[in-house]
Amino acid sequence: MRFQRFFILPLLAILLTLGVQTVSAQSGITYPPETEVLRGSVQIQGTAVHQDFWKYEVAAAPQGTQNWFNIGGAEAPVQNGVLAVWDTRTVPDGPYTIRLRVVRRDGNYDEYFVQKVVVANTAPVDTPTPETTPTPTATPTPKPPTATPVQLTPDIPTPTPAPTATPEAGAAAAGEEDGGNDDGVGGKTSQIVDLLSQMKDAFMKGALYVILAFVAVGVFFGVKNLLTWIYVRFFVK
């Protein structure tokens, strides 16, 4: 009997240790698997058990970082059930790592990871491609005919030359008055008379212009003096 007890007790201890290790090995995350695309609220499923179980915690962090944030947890073990519910709409899209931590009563813990799950809440949704509407061919509008410029030539009237006295005719008329004198003295006298007449007309015109100029100057100064008197009389105090 003592011999049997000597072998039974160590055997039970070995079996108990193997049982604890077996229970501990059963913990882990079964969903989602790696590279799974997640949208909206996702149930994190798996098992969290241990012989010296205290609690479990579920957390996540952007892939390749240690910025862990809590998703859920409990102080009751879970066997092939829902460990936590993760609302993926609260985090930016991208790859993440999910961690399950099973904590024992002595404060030690075991951890289990699922790598590279992808949150894709803002991924574009496939939309039907609209049918292509044929583009109507534009018909060029004919350009209006180019107007041909017409150059108008002004009709300038040709001035009629004033008649001039012919010396020969005057000389002939003077010769006839003088009784047909052929020496030409009568013709020269007629020319001198015409020249004096033209000079007289020019002198009279010049005198008239001078008088008009003096009258205009007198009127100007008279109006000026009148305006000055009115200004002094009525406006200057």
Side-chain angles (χ1 to χ4, degrees):
M1 293 295 294
R2 292 180 179 178
F3 180 78
Q4 293 178 351
R5 291 178 180 178
F6 178 78
F7 284 100
I8 291 175
L9 292 177
L11 182 60
L12 290 175
I14 294 173
L15 292 175
L16 181 61
T17 302
L18 292 175
V20 170
Q21 294 177 352
T22 302
V23 172
S24 177
Q26 292 178 351
S27 297
I29 299 173
T30 58
Y31 183 85
E34 291 188 0
T35 69
E36 182 77 358
V37 178
L38 308 179
R39 294 186 177 91
S41 296
V42 178
Q43 292 184 347
I44 309 299
Q45 301 178 7
T47 299
V49 294
H50 195 276
Q51 182 68 25
D52 195 20
F53 180 85
W54 173 26
K55 64 179 180 179
Y56 73 88
E57 299 172 349
V58 180
Q63 183 69 34
T65 70
Q66 296 297 319
N67 301 326
W68 299 101
F69 54 89
N70 185 54
I71 296 177
E75 294 185 359
V78 175
Q79 182 73 34
N80 294 327
V82 178
L83 299 172
V85 177
W86 182 18
D87 186 359
T88 60
R89 292 168 295 188
T90 61
V91 297
D93 289 356
Y96 287 83
T97 300
I98 301 176
R99 180 188 70 189
L100 169 63
R101 176 179 289 179
V102 180
V103 185
R104 299 189 292 270
R105 294 188 181 278
D106 58 3
N108 293 321
Y109 52 82
D110 298 321
E111 291 182 336
Y112 310 89
F113 299 92
V114 176
Q115 306 283 345
K116 300 179 182 179
V117 294
V118 179
V119 175
N121 286 300
T122 60
V125 180
D126 294 336
T127 56
T129 303
E131 297 181 359
T132 304
T133 303
T135 304
T137 304
T139 303
T141 304
K143 297 182 179 180
T146 304
T148 303
V150 178
Q151 296 182 355
L152 299 178
T153 303
D155 187 7
I156 302 175
T158 304
T160 303
T164 57
T166 304
E168 291 78 5
E176 291 177 357
E177 292 177 356
D178 293 339
N181 190 8
D182 294 336
D183 56 359
V185 175
K188 293 180 178 181
T189 303
S190 177
Q191 292 179 1
I192 294 172
V193 172
D194 292 338
L195 179 61
L196 292 175
S197 177
Q198 293 178 1
M199 292 175 63
K200 177 182 178 181
D201 293 339
F203 176 78
M204 295 300 293
K205 291 181 180 180
L208 178 61
Y209 291 155
V210 171
I211 293 171
L212 291 176
F214 276 106
V215 171
V217 172
V219 171
F220 171 75
F221 282 103
V223 173
K224 179 180 178 182
N225 292 333
L226 177 60
L227 293 177
T228 303
W229 178 83
I230 292 174
Y231 176 75
V232 173
R233 178 66 175 81
F234 294 99
F235 295 99
V236 176
K237 295 180 180 181

